[in-house]
Amino acid sequence: MAEPFKVHILGCGSALPTLRHHASSQVVELRDHVLMLDCSEGTQMQLRRSRVRFTKLSHVFITHLHGDHCFGLIGMISTFGLLGRTAKLHVHGPEALGPELDRQIKFFTHDLGFEVVYYPVDTKVRQVVYEDRSMTVESIPLEHRVPCCGYLIREKASLPHIRREMMDCYGIPNSQVNNIKNGADWTTADGEVIPNERLVKAADPVRSYAYISDTKYLPGLHEQLKGVTTLYHESTYGEDRMNNAEKYCHSTARQAAMVARDAGVGKLLLGHYSSRYEDEQVLLDEAKSVFDNCFLTNEMDVFDV
């Protein structure tokens, strides 16, 4: 059974606060990691509602320095201090955020009790900004009114599964499981060599999640997202407000679907809705006219990647 890879929607609205939607923030659970994508005002309260444990959050990835994507960061950090956090919190984002966050921490918190480590991200290039034994996180350059990037989270390939019935058939001890998962054959007491492919089943497919934050429509973006399992792409406007999309460097739902279609992704999640829409169904309908397997996001939704 595949390890968990889930996306929790904490907020899916745009800059103007409404009573229906919080601004942008998501939590991604991948295996034993908890990551945050953007941290708008009120994110810590949404995190409580999601029932994802505060203490498990290790990395925060900020896409750009508009308030609806980062105003909640200092408040969440302060609360972590009040809760007695001791583990480091790793924050990744545009270079200009680093010194500003440091000033806020010094001004608003005292004896925080844990270290906040900041990693500047060059939003103009695609690069690995975090990597460990189970995943990579890459930046994806976007075009907005300020420096901005998205993030692509990709799990690393897992080892193949053991065929338990074959292990039992040949009396292979459990001590050899790791060797066989790593490609070893098995030689019986009679000298018969059992090839590895008879002892294992294919590994789980590698899964990936792309978070494409605020950006104008980029016709070549799909090249950066080929074969992504699940894509979140901002869809602030419908075709009725194309002028707004172009003016403010945002995308329409139909344009998001064009990226999903051209990239050959598994499914598309829509979000970052303009407050002008009281019913986002029109956005979903426009997206589905181009790419059928797409979904509206709403607060507290959980999607399996």
Side-chain angles (χ1 to χ4, degrees), residues 233-275:
H233 193 298
E234 74 116 298
S235 48
T236 307
Y237 297 108
E239 295 295 294
D240 62 320
R241 299 195 180 275
M242 179 64 77
N243 289 342
N244 293 70
E246 293 175 351
K247 178 179 179 180
Y248 297 114
C249 289
H250 283 297
S251 299
T252 67
R254 186 174 184 276
Q255 289 172 335
M258 290 164 61
V259 174
R261 177 198 64 197
D262 295 344
V265 307
K267 63 185 170 188
L268 170 65
L269 308 182
L270 305 176
H272 199 267
Y273 316 122
S274 169
S275 60

